[in-house]
Amino acid sequence: YFASKRALLDALGAPQGEKTRPEGRRAEVLGAALTLFLEHGYERTSMGAVAARVGLSKAAIYEYVQGKDDLFIQAIRAGLDDQTFGAFPIGPDGAWLGEGNTPQSVRALLTEIARWYLSPRHEQHRVAFLRVLLTEGIHNPAFAARFYERVVLETNARITAALMHLGCGPEPAVRNTALAFVGQLFSWVLMNRLLVPEVVPSGAPSFVQPTTRPEAVADWIVGLFWEGVPALRRRGDEPQGTNDRGTP
């Protein structure tokens, strides 16, 4: 008869004060749910397991979410907001936020981004998010849409802004180029981290081997992209100049 415990309390006329729950506790619930969803997937994660992880009853979880679908979407959103972009080296305005000095050329900027994305401390979350995206995105369109908006489009916007700071233009061409670069990073992780078998075949390329340094992979990806976009390469060599086609 009621979608949740909260709906039941509302129907009974529970005082407004009882609806208030500490945000810290809600964040704890979402954090625990995110961990379980990434480790076990949607189907194998139960509301009871989430409740047990944070020391609540199963009924108490419904004080924070309406159901399992709502918990999944909220947990993934929280993860995208807090983890995916919490340490991204470029701000919304294109300013450099990473370690060391601001890269002074296009190639140096792309190399820093690729090394950050493929670093061991971030790769685990990337692979987990992509795995959940592939398995659950079809059944949860809202999650897939949120992932594209919060990861793909925002990453692209920040890289575009950073490239514009280096003198690249016009913006539409830079935006398309940045999107191609983001796609190359995503594709590499998907193909060589998510789809690769646990035991790598002996004939597989060296970059697939788990012993390969992430920096070497990042440099290789940037080099390949660099050779494939000659206009970007020329602009990177002369950050403040323009070429006769007006492309980045």
Side-chain angles (χ1 to χ4, degrees), residues 10-170:
D10 289 341
L12 294 174
Q16 290 291 323
E18 291 193 20
K19 296 182 180 181
T20 303
R21 291 293 182 271
E23 279 302 307
R25 192 59 162 163
R26 179 178 179 275
E28 187 179 355
V29 169
L30 296 182
L34 177 65
T35 299
L36 292 173
F37 281 131
L38 294 183
E39 289 179 355
H40 307 296
Y42 180 85
E43 293 297 333
R44 293 189 296 165
T45 297
S46 67
M47 297 289 280
V50 175
R53 179 66 68 96
V54 295
L56 293 174
S57 67
K58 183 177 177 180
I61 294 294
Y62 290 93
E63 291 292 310
Y64 305 93
V65 295
Q66 297 178 358
K68 185 175 177 180
D69 284 348
D70 184 43
L71 175 62
F72 178 75
I73 294 298
Q74 289 198 43
I76 293 298
R77 283 178 177 175
L80 293 178
D81 290 342
D82 296 338
Q83 296 176 37
T84 302
F85 287 95
F88 194 67
I90 300 174
D93 60 351
W96 178 250
L97 303 178
E99 299 177 358
N101 298 325
T102 302
Q104 297 300 308
S105 71
V106 172
R107 181 161 186 166
L109 175 68
L110 296 181
T111 298
E112 289 294 335
I113 294 171
R115 289 186 173 190
W116 172 85
Y117 186 84
L118 297 175
S119 67
R121 61 179 175 173
H122 298 120
E123 186 178 79
Q124 184 177 1
H125 283 303
R126 302 295 179 276
V127 174
F129 273 120
L130 288 177
R131 181 180 292 110
V132 173
L133 176 64
L134 289 177
T135 57
E136 311 299 343
I138 296 177
H139 306 294
N140 294 276
F143 164 51
R146 179 63 172 173
F147 188 96
Y148 188 80
E149 172 190 348
R150 193 72 181 90
V151 177
V152 178
L153 294 186
E154 185 161 337
T155 299
N156 185 59
R158 294 186 182 203
I159 295 176
T160 298
L163 290 172
M164 296 292 289
H165 274 316
L166 290 175
C168 296

